[in-house]
Every structure is written in C-alpha cells, then in structure tokens.
Amino acid sequence: MAHEIDDAERAARAAHLKERIYLTFAALAVVITLSSHGHPTAGESAATLIVTVLGTLLAVFTADLVSHLVVHGRLFTRAELRHAVGSSFGALSTVVLPFIFLGVAALDVWSTEAALRASAIALLASLIVIGWVAVRRIPLTWFQRLIALGAEAALGLAVIGLQVLAHG
C-alpha cells in the first residue's frame, strides 16, 4: 500500500488535479463542438482551442485568487502565488496532444476531422489517467477504484454525448 500523505500534500495534489480536470473537460467540449460545426480548418480549430484553454486557465486562476482572499483575508504570498500559477498553468500539459494533432492536420498529414476525433479520444483518456492519479494513493479497494474511474469515464462520455446532442 502507498505511504501516508499529510493534509497539506493532499490539498496540493487535489489543486493540481482539479485544474487538469477543468481544463480537460473544457477542451473536450470545444473539440466536440468544433467537430460538429461545419468544416473548420486546423488553424481555426487550434485558435479556438487556445482561446478556450487560456480563458479557462485565467478563470481558474482568478477563482483561486478570489477564494484565497475570502479565506485568508490577504493576497497570495510569493510561495502561494508560485503554487497557484504552477497549479493553474501546469494543467497545460493535459492539452498538448490536441495541439499536436491539429499541427499534423495543418501539415496535411491528417484531416482536421481526424485530428479533432483523435483529440477527443486523447482528452477522454487523459481524464481517465487523471482519475487514476487521483485515486492511486488513496486506500481504496480495487473495486472502489474501478467505480471511481468508471464514473469519471462515464462523465467524460456524457460530455461528449451532450455536445453531440446539442450540436449534432
């Protein structure tokens, strides 16, 4: 079984995972929407995705700042600011593959539709990996972990289903 972690470490891990989940769901929604709206180019798709990604990251960072103000009655210290920036903008790693896929499409190796489909698959897989990272050190049975990961995968599929329903 994994070693015990203290509450501060657990909170730091939760913050990192939370931002990655938010960003991945936002990117997944945009990728699915782009897939169902005409025939955007790889450049248009990448531009839309980068605006969404940056907007989501800034919104999450702003929420962290405001909640910190409310809880602590002060601005971040330097260490807290470093942690908040790292936590928010460290989530960019979850959306690297969609940009690579769209870059491949821009080079005419793939179609934009194929790049968007591959991006949706990669983002859904990313949600499952994020879920695994979240539960791997928690003392749960394998069945409880399976339920947690299955629920997260089901939510990802629900996002895809709702986007297709709304825009299909």
Side-chain angles (χ1 to χ4, degrees), residues 31-66:
V31 164
I32 297 300
T33 300
L34 286 167
S35 295
S36 62
H37 280 292
H39 300 286
T41 66
E44 292 167 340
S45 298
T48 300
L49 188 57
I50 194 68
V51 167
T52 300
V53 164
L54 292 176
T56 301
L57 290 175
L58 289 173
V60 167
F61 180 77
T62 301
D64 287 346
L65 174 64
V66 171

Side-chain angles (χ1 to χ4, degrees), residues 41-154:
T41 66
E44 292 167 340
S45 298
T48 300
L49 188 57
I50 194 68
V51 167
T52 300
V53 164
L54 292 176
T56 301
L57 290 175
L58 289 173
V60 167
F61 180 77
T62 301
D64 287 346
L65 174 64
V66 171
S67 64
H68 182 85
L69 279 168
V70 169
V71 170
H72 299 286
R74 62 174 172 74
L75 292 173
F76 290 127
T77 64
R78 281 193 180 168
E80 292 166 339
L81 179 62
R82 257 191 321 275
H83 171 75
V85 169
S87 182
S88 293
F89 291 90
L92 283 170
S93 63
T94 63
V95 294
V96 169
L97 282 177
F99 286 108
I100 291 172
F101 297 154
L102 289 168
V104 169
L107 296 172
D108 288 328
V109 177
W110 276 1
S111 67
T112 301
E113 291 78 19
L116 291 170
R117 191 174 318 109
S119 295
I121 292 166
L123 290 165
L124 184 57
S126 178
L127 282 171
I128 295 167
V129 169
I130 292 167
W132 171 250
V133 169
V135 301
R136 72 181 174 169
R137 292 188 177 160
I138 297 174
L140 299 173
T141 67
W142 69 269
F143 187 70
Q144 290 169 321
R145 288 180 186 183
L146 183 64
I147 289 172
L149 293 174
E152 188 173 22

